[in-house]
Amino acid sequence: MLFFSYFKDLVGQEVTVELKNDLAIRGTLHSVDQYLNIKLENTRVVDQDKFPHMLSVRNCFIRGSVVRYVQLPPDGVDVDLLHDAARREARGG
Amino acid sequence: MVVGGLREFALRRNGDGSPALDESNGEELMHVQPSVAVALGSRSVESPGTLYITSRKLIWLSDVDVAKGYAVDFLSISLHAVSRDPQTYSSPCIYTQIEVVEDDEDDTESTGVLDLSKIREMRLVPSDSTQLDTLFDVFCECAELNPEPVEEEEEESGHNWVFSADQMVVGGGGEEDAEWQISQSPTSVIGHSNGGDESIAQPMLELRINDQRFDDAEEMVHESETKDH
């Protein structure tokens, strides 16, 4: 549940979600659930070439299973802390 | 259950024309929205129709053509959103993206017949646009009801993480009888790679003992009378 907890702490921050189909959507993280489904607000498409039809939707729900990356604000990540927490969780701690 | 993309759907119950559901599998109707038009991909909108949202999938049935209907599983809906920008689309609608299984044979140009399984975007345009937020919420609810199915292996064996090159046994970290091995075996010091943090050493130690390559060491400790080697 590590990343679920981690993303919950990021609610309210700007993130860019890159989907497995290469679409990248930027928006404010509204909420996240245990499956890492993501709800974004004030969304806009980063690369408008592939999916021009969804240029600006106010809110969107992204299925967790189609997310490739979530790009985080650089100052929103404590890399060392996350590294240690991930290692602990992987070891069953 | 084969999960594809968008597909034809024409199984209706007699009488009220609503779709037949897979009730034996727990599928139930979550929401019905009359007067909804559907636009597949870049095609023009089709109407009039009724949107049926079940716990498993989305079904749009034409109100005038009994044979025409479309369905897509929530497992295949990558994202959904409320679209209100008139520059993007003339009417406020629910915009959805459908996950398409890539096919090696891409012959979309060869036939004039529409291949539904290749549709990547679908818009649902209710004639009552005040219903959009409700529809968006129902979509969210149903998406949450359909998480990725978890494979059994992952659940039973637990973690299969590798921490070091010595660790060759997979799935040995979950044994309940490993606890006594830690207290009796003098090899416990080997597992202390982080300054004596036992919680980290424990899984590593369990695995080393279960590893056949260390059998000799164990035998020497527990059966000191054995002089076979």
Side-chain angles (χ1 to χ4, degrees), chain B residues 40-74:
Chain B
L40 304 179
S42 51
R43 289 160 56 88
S44 50
V45 80
E46 297 173 64
S47 69
T50 302
L51 183 65
Y52 298 88
I53 304 177
T54 84
S55 54
R56 294 267 183 275
K57 58 181 181 283
L58 230 171
I59 304 168
W60 179 89
L61 296 178
S62 166
D63 290 340
V64 292
D65 183 353
V66 230
K68 188 202 277 194
Y70 307 117
V72 59
D73 296 317
F74 276 103

XYZ file of all heavy atoms in Angstrom, chain B residues 40-74:
271
model
N -18.881 7.218 -31.830
C -17.731 6.313 -31.766
C -16.585 6.877 -32.580
O -16.750 7.197 -33.757
C -18.113 4.941 -32.320
C -19.309 4.233 -31.667
C -19.567 2.908 -32.361
C -19.066 4.026 -30.184
N -15.435 6.987 -31.963
C -14.265 7.486 -32.669
C -14.553 8.851 -33.253
O -15.057 9.747 -32.572
N -14.276 8.986 -34.534
C -14.538 10.270 -35.174
C -15.850 10.244 -35.957
O -16.154 11.158 -36.711
C -13.377 10.604 -36.109
O -13.134 9.490 -36.957
N -16.638 9.190 -35.750
C -17.906 9.072 -36.478
C -18.923 10.051 -35.927
O -18.803 10.541 -34.806
C -18.443 7.644 -36.340
C -17.638 6.624 -37.121
C -17.880 5.227 -36.579
N -19.284 4.835 -36.566
C -19.918 4.256 -37.599
N -19.271 4.028 -38.723
N -21.188 3.926 -37.494
N -19.937 10.287 -36.719
C -20.966 11.211 -36.250
C -21.826 10.516 -35.187
O -21.851 9.301 -35.066
C -21.817 11.679 -37.425
O -22.245 10.565 -38.169
N -22.546 11.343 -34.482
C -23.301 10.855 -33.341
C -24.496 10.003 -33.774
O -25.081 10.233 -34.833
C -23.751 12.081 -32.503
C -24.955 12.750 -33.100
C -23.909 11.719 -31.065
N -24.789 8.986 -32.988
C -25.928 8.109 -33.289
C -26.970 8.270 -32.189
O -26.653 8.220 -30.995
C -25.465 6.649 -33.341
C -24.458 6.367 -34.450
C -23.895 4.956 -34.364
O -24.672 3.994 -34.517
O -22.673 4.810 -34.136
N -28.216 8.434 -32.605
C -29.281 8.616 -31.613
C -30.619 8.305 -32.262
O -30.693 8.209 -33.492
C -29.261 10.053 -31.093
O -29.663 10.954 -32.114
N -31.686 8.216 -31.501
C -31.698 8.277 -30.038
C -31.357 6.914 -29.428
O -31.516 5.881 -30.069
C -33.149 8.642 -29.724
C -33.931 8.055 -30.865
C -33.035 8.096 -32.072
N -30.898 6.932 -28.213
C -30.582 5.667 -27.566
C -30.653 5.806 -26.055
O -30.878 6.900 -25.521
N -30.471 4.670 -25.387
C -30.491 4.649 -23.926
C -29.200 4.036 -23.425
O -28.722 3.043 -23.972
C -31.691 3.810 -23.423
O -32.893 4.371 -23.945
C -31.745 3.809 -21.897
N -28.662 4.662 -22.406
C -27.410 4.173 -21.825
C -27.726 3.350 -20.585
O -28.425 3.810 -19.686
C -26.528 5.362 -21.458
C -25.142 5.039 -20.892
C -24.294 4.344 -21.948
C -24.460 6.311 -20.429
N -27.226 2.124 -20.571
C -27.380 1.263 -19.404
C -25.990 1.046 -18.813
O -25.083 0.587 -19.492
C -27.975 -0.096 -19.801
C -29.360 -0.001 -20.392
C -29.550 0.194 -21.753
C -30.494 -0.093 -19.576
C -30.825 0.288 -22.304
C -31.772 -0.018 -20.115
C -31.930 0.184 -21.473
O -33.190 0.274 -22.006
N -25.861 1.385 -17.561
C -24.560 1.205 -16.911
C -24.692 0.074 -15.904
O -25.481 0.164 -14.961
C -24.115 2.487 -16.200
C -24.097 3.646 -17.209
C -22.729 2.304 -15.585
C -23.751 4.980 -16.589
N -23.939 -1.015 -16.139
C -23.995 -2.123 -15.208
C -22.710 -2.144 -14.388
O -21.793 -1.381 -14.651
C -24.155 -3.478 -15.928
O -22.868 -3.958 -16.345
C -25.067 -3.358 -17.128
N -22.675 -3.063 -13.443
C -21.494 -3.151 -12.584
C -20.283 -3.670 -13.359
O -19.167 -3.630 -12.856
C -21.782 -4.057 -11.388
O -22.261 -5.315 -11.849
N -20.519 -4.177 -14.568
C -19.402 -4.719 -15.350
C -19.118 -3.924 -16.610
O -17.972 -3.859 -17.053
C -19.724 -6.146 -15.812
C -19.853 -7.160 -14.742
C -18.545 -7.890 -14.475
N -18.746 -8.918 -13.479
C -18.696 -8.696 -12.175
N -18.443 -7.485 -11.731
N -18.904 -9.675 -11.325
N -20.164 -3.392 -17.193
C -19.950 -2.756 -18.485
C -20.935 -1.646 -18.775
O -21.881 -1.412 -18.049
C -20.006 -3.805 -19.592
C -21.322 -4.598 -19.664
C -21.251 -5.623 -20.790
C -22.509 -6.436 -20.939
N -22.644 -7.483 -19.923
N -20.670 -1.007 -19.894
C -21.463 0.081 -20.404
C -22.213 -0.449 -21.627
O -21.589 -1.056 -22.491
C -20.474 1.122 -20.907
C -20.584 2.544 -20.520
C -19.338 3.241 -21.013
C -21.788 3.162 -21.171
N -23.514 -0.220 -21.687
C -24.282 -0.672 -22.848
C -25.091 0.487 -23.396
O -25.783 1.175 -22.650
C -25.262 -1.809 -22.462
C -24.517 -2.967 -21.815
C -26.024 -2.291 -23.697
C -25.431 -3.986 -21.161
N -24.961 0.697 -24.692
C -25.821 1.700 -25.331
C -26.715 0.969 -26.305
O -26.223 0.214 -27.160
C -24.967 2.742 -26.068
C -25.791 3.782 -26.755
C -26.241 4.959 -26.222
C -26.285 3.760 -28.108
N -26.971 5.663 -27.142
C -27.023 4.960 -28.307
C -26.179 2.845 -29.147
C -27.644 5.253 -29.520
C -26.803 3.132 -30.355
C -27.532 4.336 -30.527
N -28.008 1.156 -26.175
C -28.958 0.501 -27.068
C -29.762 1.555 -27.820
O -30.263 2.518 -27.232
C -29.916 -0.393 -26.278
C -29.300 -1.588 -25.536
C -30.380 -2.335 -24.778
C -28.574 -2.512 -26.496
N -29.870 1.339 -29.104
C -30.648 2.270 -29.921
C -32.128 2.165 -29.561
O -32.650 1.075 -29.331
C -30.446 1.929 -31.403
O -31.410 2.596 -32.181
N -32.807 3.309 -29.496
C -34.234 3.311 -29.177
C -35.081 2.934 -30.383
O -36.258 2.578 -30.256
C -34.668 4.708 -28.690
C -34.105 5.031 -27.313
O -33.721 4.090 -26.592
O -34.042 6.226 -26.972
N -34.500 3.054 -31.569
C -35.310 2.827 -32.773
C -34.917 1.575 -33.543
O -35.717 1.008 -34.267
C -35.242 4.053 -33.717
C -35.933 5.230 -33.073
C -33.798 4.399 -34.048
N -33.663 1.145 -33.368
C -33.204 -0.055 -34.068
C -32.873 -1.140 -33.047
O -31.833 -1.086 -32.395
C -31.971 0.302 -34.916
C -31.475 -0.882 -35.738
O -32.001 -2.012 -35.563
O -30.554 -0.675 -36.544
N -33.763 -2.134 -32.925
C -33.590 -3.180 -31.901
C -32.297 -3.970 -32.062
O -31.808 -4.568 -31.119
C -34.743 -4.204 -31.893
C -35.261 -4.378 -30.495
C -35.832 -3.810 -32.843
N -31.799 -3.981 -33.266
C -30.602 -4.780 -33.513
C -29.317 -4.016 -33.258
O -28.223 -4.578 -33.305
C -30.613 -5.274 -34.956
N -29.448 -2.730 -32.984
C -28.229 -1.936 -32.830
C -27.934 -1.650 -31.370
O -28.770 -1.094 -30.638
C -28.347 -0.613 -33.589
C -27.011 0.123 -33.605
C -27.160 1.597 -33.850
C -27.287 1.906 -35.334
N -27.096 3.363 -35.570
N -26.727 -2.019 -30.954
C -26.310 -1.729 -29.585
C -24.812 -1.934 -29.464
O -24.212 -2.699 -30.228
N -24.220 -1.242 -28.517
C -22.778 -1.363 -28.287
C -22.524 -1.610 -26.812
O -23.281 -1.152 -25.959
C -22.037 -0.083 -28.697
C -22.326 0.393 -30.099
C -22.939 1.620 -30.318
C -21.970 -0.383 -31.198
C -23.194 2.069 -31.598
C -22.234 0.061 -32.485
C -22.844 1.284 -32.687
O -23.103 1.727 -33.957
N -21.461 -2.323 -26.528
C -21.094 -2.550 -25.131
C -19.584 -2.518 -24.991
O -18.847 -2.880 -25.912
C -21.616 -3.900 -24.653
N -19.136 -2.054 -23.833
C -17.702 -2.092 -23.535
C -17.533 -2.336 -22.035
O -18.236 -1.750 -21.218
C -16.988 -0.789 -23.983
C -17.569 0.437 -23.299
C -15.509 -0.866 -23.729
N -16.633 -3.249 -21.686
C -16.391 -3.560 -20.284
C -15.638 -2.423 -19.606
O -14.777 -1.797 -20.220
C -15.545 -4.835 -20.158
C -16.261 -6.050 -20.700
O -17.467 -6.196 -20.421
O -15.614 -6.841 -21.395
N -15.931 -2.207 -18.346
C -15.210 -1.165 -17.610
C -13.730 -1.495 -17.507
O -12.897 -0.608 -17.384
C -15.819 -0.947 -16.223
C -16.984 -0.005 -16.264
C -18.277 -0.481 -16.194
C -16.779 1.357 -16.423
C -19.359 0.393 -16.270
C -17.842 2.237 -16.505
C -19.139 1.757 -16.431
